[in-house]
Amino acid sequence: MPCRSRREVRARPNYDRGVSESSLAELLRARGLRLTAQRQLILQAVLDLGHATPEQVHTAVREVAAGVNITTIYRTLELLERLGLVTHTHLSHGSPTYHAAGEDQHVHLVCRECGAIDEMDPELMRPLSDQLAGERGFRVDIGHVSFFGLCARCGDGEKT
């Protein structure tokens, strides 16, 4: 899978885009909340962007609804995470990166040079994960595993 810049907006087919407006409304109603256009736009932005910081979600949402402020983005992302629709990981020293919770777990590969985020099949981590479980009783949360380095474009093996 080719590297993608964190700033690039691209729909990701492996993300669970099946959260309908009615199912989101039901989840919110069960918590005594209502479906707002802002909540729906924020969830859709996360689904469309794949991996996105709150600031990137804010930029995407503002293209449709200019009045949505960054505080609303943060609060809504926290709500969507409590509802189990999105999850976050830390891919840098800055803001958390959100992505759909319904996707397959994966290990993140983050390029320190260009900021691209790629994914790796978590099965490649199985031997290490099993060893940690056996020797230390430690269970790895694959969704929060990130490797930092240089992608093929930025490293010695640059491809054109």
Side-chain angles (χ1 to χ4, degrees):
M1 176 180 290
C3 292
R4 278 175 222 86
S5 169
R6 281 184 255 174
R7 295 166 222 27
E8 185 176 333
V9 177
R10 179 186 290 184
R12 301 282 310 277
N14 64 327
Y15 285 80
D16 180 6
R17 299 174 57 85
V19 178
S20 69
E21 184 176 332
S22 62
S23 61
L24 178 57
E26 290 171 19
L27 283 169
L28 290 166
R29 264 196 305 274
R31 298 266 183 135
L33 303 167
R34 63 186 177 86
L35 176 62
T36 64
Q38 291 176 342
R39 289 174 177 160
Q40 189 173 355
L41 284 171
I42 292 166
L43 176 59
Q44 192 60 52
V46 172
L47 297 175
D48 289 345
L49 292 168
H51 293 96
T53 64
E55 292 78 13
Q56 292 165 327
V57 171
H58 185 232
T59 299
V61 168
R62 284 184 51 201
E63 290 178 8
V64 178
V68 178
N69 64 45
I70 192 70
T71 303
T72 299
I73 301 292
Y74 274 96
R75 287 181 181 155
T76 302
L77 288 170
E78 289 173 6
L79 171 65
L80 294 173
E81 188 162 26
R82 285 194 308 271
L83 292 172
L85 297 172
V86 301
T87 188
H88 80 276
T89 191
H90 294 275
L91 300 180
S92 68
H93 295 293
S95 299
T97 299
Y98 288 84
H99 53 88
E103 71 173 81
D104 294 332
Q105 284 206 330
H106 56 270
V107 174
H108 298 97
L109 304 173
V110 183
C111 181
R112 288 193 187 276
E113 184 70 27
C114 70
I117 301 170
D118 202 353
E119 300 169 359
M120 180 179 94
D121 186 338
E123 283 304 308
L124 295 170
M125 293 281 302
R126 180 70 53 211
L128 175 60
S129 179
D130 290 347
Q131 183 178 357
L132 289 170
E135 292 178 10
R136 302 197 179 198
F138 186 84
R139 293 179 28 214
V140 176
D141 178 0
I142 296 295
H144 282 88
V145 173
S146 300
F147 289 105
F148 294 83
L150 296 176
C151 69
R153 289 183 296 180
C154 297
D156 292 337
E158 183 171 324
K159 297 176 184 176
T160 56

